[in-house]
Amino acid sequence: MYDKIHLTQFAKHGGCAAKIGPDTLSKVLGRLPKFSGPSLLVGFETSDDAAVYRISDDVAVIQTLDFFTPVVDDPYTFGQVAAANALSDVYAMGGEPKIALNIVEFPGELDPDVLGEILRGGADKVHEAGAVLVGGHSIQDDVPKYGLSVTGFVHPDKIYKNYGCQAGDVLILTKQLGVGIVNTAVKAQMASPEAEQEVIRVMTTLNKRAKDIAQKYTIHACTDVTGFGLLGHCSEMASASGAVITIRPQDIAYIGGAKEYAQMGLIPGGAYRNRKHVKPVLEGGQEIDEMWLDLLCDPQTSGGLLMAVPEAEADSLLREFARAEMKTEVSVAGRVQESGRGNGRIILEVEEEI
C-alpha cells in the first residue's frame, strides 16, 4: 500500500539535515533574553541537548523536543527514526525518557493511513524506551513533519552536559557516521541495499543501551551527534570546555559505502553549512582529503552519543560495549589534549597513506 508513497520527495532537506545552520541559529539565539534561576541547571547558553530543571534534591526534569521532515520513504520507519532522534536528547543528558507528546504536520491530501503508520512507528520507539506517549498536536502542512516533545528524569548530580571534558579524555562515539551522505545516495538511487539497511539500523537504534552502559563510568561531557555533524558538535564541546580536541578521521567507524559516496560528491547541503561554521576553530583541514571533511561535517540523523571519558576508564568501557553486542559500531573519535583554556580548537590528524 505504501510502496507508491515517497515521503522524501515532499521535502528539499530530510531529517536533521533540515536544521537551520549553526551560524544562523547562534546569531538568533544570541539576541534572546537569558533566563536563569537556582533551579535551572542547564539552559541554552552552551547549546546543550536539552533543558534541565531541578524539582527536588533527587530529581531534575529534562525537557526537549525535536521534529523534522522525512529522511526515508517508508512511513513507519520515518516514525521510528524521528522518535529515536527526539528521545536521544534525554539520553545525551544522562536521563531516562518518561513522557512523550507527538508533533505532527501532515498534508491533507495524503492518505490518513500514512499518518497512522508514522505515528505507529513513533509509538513503538517510545514503548521501547520505557516511556509513555500521551497525545500531542497536529496541523496541516504541505510538507510532512514528525517528532516528539519528551520529558525525562535525571538525578541533579548525574547530569551529562556538553562541556566539562578534561585533558587526557578519550572521545568515544557510539554510532558510525555517514547518515546524511548515505541517505543522499539512497534518494539518488545510487546506494547499495546493504548501505540502505545499515543506515536505517543506525537511525532507528535508541541510544538507551549506550547510555545505560556509560552510566557505570565517569563521563566528563556528553552530547549526541546530529544535524551539525561530528565536527559541529565537537566544536560546541571544545568551545564550552575551553578545550583542544584532536580528531583522527581514519579511526572512526563509518556506514558501509559512505566514503565512496562522499568521493562521488553525494553530499547533503547541510554539510557545507557545517564546514563553514567549524572553519574558525579547525586546524589541519586544509591539508586533508575533502572526503574526510565531508564525512566529519555530514549532518547525522539520530546519531550516536559522543562521550568524553577519562583515559583510565576508556578501554574498560570499550570492552563492555563490545561484550554488549551493540546494534551499532562504537569507535574512538579523538582525544582531549587540553581544557579550561582559550575558546576551543579542533585539530585534525590524518595519517599519510603509504
Side-chain angles (χ1 to χ4, degrees):
M1 177 179 179
Y2 303 112
D3 291 344
K4 298 180 181 179
I5 299 294
H6 296 283
L7 289 177
T8 56
Q9 294 183 0
F10 284 85
K12 184 178 181 180
H13 304 290
C16 287
K19 292 180 71 170
I20 294 173
D23 285 336
T24 302
L25 194 60
S26 63
K27 291 177 183 177
V28 172
L29 292 178
R31 302 190 191 109
L32 295 179
K34 302 296 189 293
F35 293 86
S36 62
S39 294
L40 182 60
L41 305 181
V42 180
F44 63 78
E45 290 78 12
T46 59
S47 303
D48 222 319
D49 298 294
V52 184
Y53 192 89
R54 184 199 303 269
I55 59 174
S56 73
D57 290 341
D58 300 319
V59 179
V61 171
I62 301 171
Q63 188 65 51
T64 185
L65 65 87
D66 210 315
F67 67 100
F68 47 56
T69 51
V71 67
V72 292
D73 287 322
D74 178 68
Y76 178 78
T77 304
F78 172 44
Q80 286 189 305
V81 172
N85 182 76
L87 292 160
S88 182
D89 285 341
V90 176
Y91 297 129
M93 305 302 294
E96 282 292 324
K98 296 297 181 182
I99 303 172
L101 296 168
N102 286 317
I103 303 168
V104 178
E105 298 182 31
F106 194 73
E109 68 271 16
L110 274 183
D111 187 339
D113 287 345
V114 174
L115 176 58
E117 282 297 286
I118 293 172
L119 297 179
R120 186 172 71 88
D124 283 352
K125 278 296 158 184
V126 172
H127 183 268
E128 183 182 338
V132 294
L133 188 61
V134 289
H137 184 68
S138 61
I139 64 170
Q140 289 195 34
D141 193 3
D142 293 338
V143 179
K145 305 176 186 72
Y146 175 64
L148 300 173
S149 172
V150 186
T151 300
F153 292 165
V154 67
H155 192 286
D157 297 332
K158 298 179 180 179
I159 301 168
Y160 294 166
K161 300 175 184 178
N162 70 346
Y163 62 92
C165 57
Q166 300 180 17
D169 282 353
V170 176
L171 297 180
I172 295 177
L173 181 63
T174 65
K175 289 185 181 182
Q176 53 269 54
L177 297 179
V179 168
I181 289 169
V182 174
N183 279 326
T184 300
V186 171
K187 195 170 183 178
Q189 298 183 333
M190 298 176 69
S192 68
E194 293 79 13
E196 185 170 1
Q197 291 171 6
E198 184 178 355
V199 75
I200 289 174
R201 183 174 71 252
V202 168
M203 293 189 295
T204 57
T205 298
L206 292 176
N207 280 321
K208 175 178 174 59
R209 197 172 192 184
K211 189 273 299 185
D212 288 345
I213 292 173
Q215 281 190 320
K216 305 173 188 177
Y217 297 83
T218 303
I219 306 297
H220 287 150
C222 182
T223 189
D224 61 340
V225 178
T226 54
F228 298 157
L230 178 67
L231 288 187
H233 291 283
C234 278
S235 72
E236 291 177 343
M237 185 179 288
S239 297
S241 305
V244 176
I245 291 175
T246 300
I247 301 294
R248 291 173 54 85
Q250 66 271 23
D251 294 342
I252 298 171
Y254 301 94
I255 296 171
K259 294 178 182 178
E260 290 76 13
Y261 303 144
Q263 290 172 330
M264 292 165 62
L266 297 170
I267 312 299
Y272 300 108
R273 294 194 298 270
N274 293 339
R275 284 180 63 168
K276 180 181 177 183
H277 177 68
V278 302
K279 185 177 180 180
V281 300
L282 190 63
E283 296 182 13
Q286 293 78 22
E287 295 82 20
I288 72 171
D289 193 303
E290 289 283 310
M291 174 195 72
W292 294 119
L293 286 174
D294 289 335
L295 287 164
L296 297 178
C297 292
D298 181 37
Q300 305 301 287
T301 298
S302 190
L305 298 181
L306 180 69
M307 301 176 290
V309 184
E311 186 175 18
E313 300 182 37
D315 286 344
S316 179
L317 177 55
L318 289 168
R319 286 194 297 269
E320 187 157 355
F321 278 139
R323 290 194 299 269
E325 298 181 353
M326 306 280 287
K327 293 181 181 180
T328 56
E329 293 184 48
V330 178
S331 60
V332 173
R335 293 178 179 269
V336 180
Q337 299 300 324
E338 60 182 69
S339 64
R341 287 184 274 176
N343 296 320
R345 290 183 293 133
I346 300 174
I347 301 172
L348 297 183
E349 292 185 351
V350 178
E351 293 179 356
E352 295 183 6
E353 295 186 4
I354 300 176

